[in-house]
Amino acid sequence: MQHVIIGAGPAGVIAAETLRKTAPACSIKLIGDETEPPYSRMALPYYLIDNIDEAGTYLRKSDSHYADQGIELIRDRVASVNPDAHALQLDSGATANFDKLLIATGSHPISPPIPGLDAPGVHSCWTLEDGRNIARNATQGADIILMGAGFIGCIILEALAARGVNLTVIEMGDRMVPRMMDQTAGNLIKQWCLDKGVKVLTSTRVEAIEQNGGSRLTAKLDNGDRLAADMVISATGVRANIDFLAGSGINTDFGVLVNDRLQSSHPDVYAAGDVCQGRDFSTGEFNVHAIQPTAADHGRLAAMNMCGRDIRHQGSVIMNVLDTMGLISTSYGLWMGVEGGDSAELVDKERYRYLSLQFKDDVLVGAQALDLTNHVGVLRGLIQTKLKLGKWKDHLRHDPTRIMEAYLGATQSIGHNAALI
């Protein structure tokens, strides 16, 4: 059996290793379009603050890992896919045949239509090459503008602040991490950053970037202000890498559309990771979840199904954990709440602490927390198991911190009822 994986990120690498364990005699080709060994984008901030070198970003530390696993690592870009012919065309002119194909091509940064965004000195922070460029220019005292205070932007923010730059963050939303935290939490994170010496402008857009003759740049803002910078970093979102599938007959939307086995519209083609529009555990809908835990789960499950295991994907729980200069924020599931649901909230602005629990009937469906890391695993477990809290919901509405007590009480109640039956 010939298995081909397009994409050498976490989803692709885990899928390749799972294939080798599940089908020891199969042929495995892993195709990546970067010159470096497969690496983790999530490690780039650690590279930027010199906690690790480039090799520290690699997903597997041994130079011979892939060869030892019998995985053929191909450095090339896939130009097109012909599922019916079970063949790929590569940019180099070579072809690759497959019995089963996994698309794990990830995503790419999207650039807003801003004049000057292609100027020298404007970078994304997505590839290892981007990391090299930023590390070279983000020296102590340099004036840096970071466009975007979403999840990716805030990870970069942490690394830039540690490098001692003069940092200004510009976010068009009305709070930081608007797709992860509500008004209260997002604005507490903003105030935390301000207190740490990072300038944060929310509800603000960059309208144009201009060069000042030398290496300096000027960002023109929609409020009329003009900010000078040595470098501008764009972190304004990502989009799935699906353009190469045009004309293939594989159904796509925001990503590759899959069923509960992560199988695309062609029975021999699967998808995993940022490019996969898979099931959302909380809503039952199919969405792209561009987070590494989902990529890892997808890669493992897709590989087993490629080997004929027929394992159903139960859906990915939205899960984000973010460290912003020492302030840990987390969000799970339907953190924004549901129609007809209710909530419990604890706010301590002076200590930058916040806890929000969202319920549907007596089931926890979402949560957010700031600087409250105890029992975050329990929060996720309650959401994934859909445990009925019964009377413990009222306890949590009065004191949301009693999460562990509520979990133990609700599970013991279930055990007691089962014993009576």
Side-chain angles (χ1 to χ4, degrees):
M1 181 76 75
Q2 292 182 313
H3 294 291
V4 174
I5 300 167
I6 312 173
V13 168
I14 289 172
E17 293 168 345
T18 304
L19 286 169
R20 177 56 64 226
K21 292 176 183 177
T22 308
C26 72
S27 166
I28 305 171
K29 289 182 172 66
L30 179 64
I31 304 173
D33 62 1
E34 295 186 52
T35 58
E36 295 86 5
Y39 64 90
S40 170
R41 303 193 196 283
M42 299 303 294
L44 289 179
Y46 301 100
Y47 167 72
L48 288 176
I49 58 175
D50 297 324
N51 276 359
I52 57 174
D53 58 12
E54 288 193 11
T57 68
Y58 298 164
L59 288 167
R60 302 296 178 260
K61 306 311 178 186
S62 167
D63 291 340
S64 63
H65 174 79
Y66 300 98
D68 293 344
Q69 291 277 314
I71 298 168
E72 183 182 356
L73 183 58
I74 300 172
R75 292 183 172 89
D76 208 337
R77 182 183 294 270
V78 175
S80 62
V81 177
N82 187 333
D84 292 334
H86 289 78
L88 308 175
Q89 182 71 42
L90 305 180
D91 273 1
S92 64
T95 59
N97 298 317
F98 63 86
D99 294 305
K100 301 289 183 182
L101 173 68
L102 176 65
I103 301 169
T105 46
S107 52
H108 63 275
I110 54 176
S111 299
I114 297 173
L117 203 61
D118 58 349
V122 181
H123 302 281
S124 297
C125 186
W126 195 245
T127 66
L128 192 49
E129 181 60 26
D130 292 332
R132 296 185 189 111
N133 289 328
I134 293 171
R136 189 163 46 246
N137 293 288
T139 55
Q140 187 167 1
D143 295 319
I144 308 295
I145 293 174
L146 173 61
M147 294 170 48
F151 184 78
I152 295 170
C154 283
I155 292 174
I156 302 167
L157 182 160
E158 168 91 5
L160 292 172
R163 294 181 71 87
V165 305
N166 298 322
L167 181 60
T168 300
V169 181
I170 301 172
E171 166 60 44
M172 66 180 184
D174 61 1
R175 62 191 186 276
M176 294 185 71
V177 280
R179 295 187 179 181
M180 172 181 164
M181 306 301 265
D182 63 17
Q183 282 279 356
T184 301
N187 284 316
L188 280 172
I189 296 171
K190 176 182 176 179
Q191 188 58 52
W192 174 270
C193 292
L194 292 171
D195 290 347
K196 296 289 184 179
V198 175
K199 187 176 182 180
V200 181
L201 304 175
T202 51
S203 300
T204 305
R205 295 174 182 266
V206 175
E207 290 190 333
I209 296 173
E210 302 167 351
Q211 291 184 276
N212 288 340
S215 60
R216 294 276 285 180
L217 302 167
T218 295
K220 180 182 176 183
L221 309 185
D222 61 355
N223 61 11
D225 288 349
R226 299 171 69 88
L227 301 179
D230 296 300
M231 180 170 59
V232 174
I233 301 172
S234 177
T236 54
V238 298
R239 183 173 295 147
N241 291 321
I242 56 175
D243 289 350
F244 73 100
L245 295 173
S248 68
I250 296 172
N251 291 341
T252 62
D253 182 23
F254 297 106
V256 176
L257 292 166
V258 297
N259 61 19
D260 286 338
R261 273 70 182 174
L262 301 183
Q263 187 178 42
S264 77
S265 55
H266 191 285
D268 294 328
V269 179
Y270 296 74
D274 292 11
V275 76
C276 176
Q277 193 164 335
R279 186 178 292 280
D280 183 312
F281 174 85
S282 298
T283 66
E285 299 175 355
F286 285 78
N287 297 308
V288 173
H289 287 171
I291 54 176
Q292 189 159 313
T294 292
D297 290 343
H298 279 179
R300 190 174 299 107
L301 189 145
M304 289 190 285
N305 282 332
M306 290 166 72
C307 295
R309 291 293 183 92
D310 192 29
I311 300 174
R312 182 182 176 188
H313 180 230
Q314 300 298 318
S316 300
V317 175
I318 297 175
M319 178 184 70
N320 290 295
V321 180
L322 182 65
D323 184 345
T324 308
M325 294 186 290
L327 181 62
I328 308 297
S329 54
T330 58
S331 68
Y332 296 106
L334 299 174
W335 57 267
M336 71 298 291
V338 295
E339 186 176 354
D342 52 0
S343 64
E345 186 178 79
L346 174 68
V347 184
D348 185 347
K349 292 185 178 181
E350 296 298 320
R351 300 171 67 190
Y352 292 98
R353 289 190 170 184
Y354 180 62
L355 180 60
S356 169
L357 306 179
Q358 300 293 331
F359 303 97
K360 181 178 181 181
D361 299 323
D362 66 342
V363 174
L364 184 71
V365 295
Q368 301 170 77
L370 277 184
D371 198 36
L372 291 166
T373 56
N374 290 340
H375 312 319
V376 292
V378 176
L379 289 173
R380 183 183 181 187
L382 284 171
I383 293 168
Q384 282 190 294
T385 59
K386 299 182 179 180
L387 179 68
K388 290 185 177 296
L389 293 164
K391 66 180 183 180
W392 288 99
K393 175 188 170 181
D394 291 331
H395 291 293
L396 289 174
R397 292 187 67 187
H398 286 96
D399 183 357
T401 64
R402 297 175 67 182
I403 281 291
M404 179 59 79
E405 187 181 351
Y407 169 74
L408 294 174
T411 51
Q412 289 171 1
S413 176
I414 290 175
H416 176 71
N417 291 337
L420 291 177
I421 294 173

